Amino acid sequence: MSAYFQVKAYHRPQDLSQALELLSGSETIARVIAGGTDIQPRRDGVKKFDLYNQLVDISNLDIDYLKEDRNHIRICAATPKNSIGTSALL
């Protein structure tokens, strides 16, 4: 299997403001990841060319939660699909 991207930098910001700063750079073509399974090499015969050159890992920013807020359920950005599917809130 082959990957069709070339990552030049990997970042693991310590807070949300640092993550936003990394993503807003004019020279940055970044991809946000939380686990990385979506950037694993594609299977043979499937060609996908990704144009990003930097990864910003948000997995340690404490943004993986579901909570009820008044009459709404808030699902934060890095919440795993399995957590959503098994949540008592839903």
Side-chain angles (χ1 to χ4, degrees):
M1 295 197 311
S2 300
Y4 296 97
F5 58 86
Q6 193 166 26
V7 175
K8 296 178 182 174
Y10 169 84
H11 305 281
R12 193 160 195 195
Q14 298 303 307
D15 56 43
L16 192 54
S17 64
Q18 187 180 22
L20 294 173
E21 184 178 323
L22 287 165
L23 293 168
S24 66
S26 62
E27 298 175 14
T28 302
I29 303 172
R31 172 125 182 189
V32 175
I33 62 168
T37 56
D38 57 330
I39 64 159
Q40 290 179 347
R42 310 309 196 254
R43 0 178 253 283
D44 289 337
V46 177
K47 290 190 178 189
K48 180 169 186 330
F49 293 88
D50 291 316
L51 300 175
Y52 55 85
N53 59 18
Q54 297 190 40
L55 298 176
V56 178
D57 185 348
I58 62 169
S59 63
N60 68 334
L61 295 184
D62 199 27
I63 53 173
D64 57 341
Y65 59 82
L66 284 94
K67 67 180 179 181
E68 192 168 3
D69 183 18
R70 298 182 190 158
N71 294 326
H72 298 88
I73 295 173
R74 296 193 183 271
I75 303 172
C76 207
T79 306
K81 288 187 242 181
N82 191 41
S83 295
I84 297 168
T86 59
S87 173
L89 292 174
L90 304 174

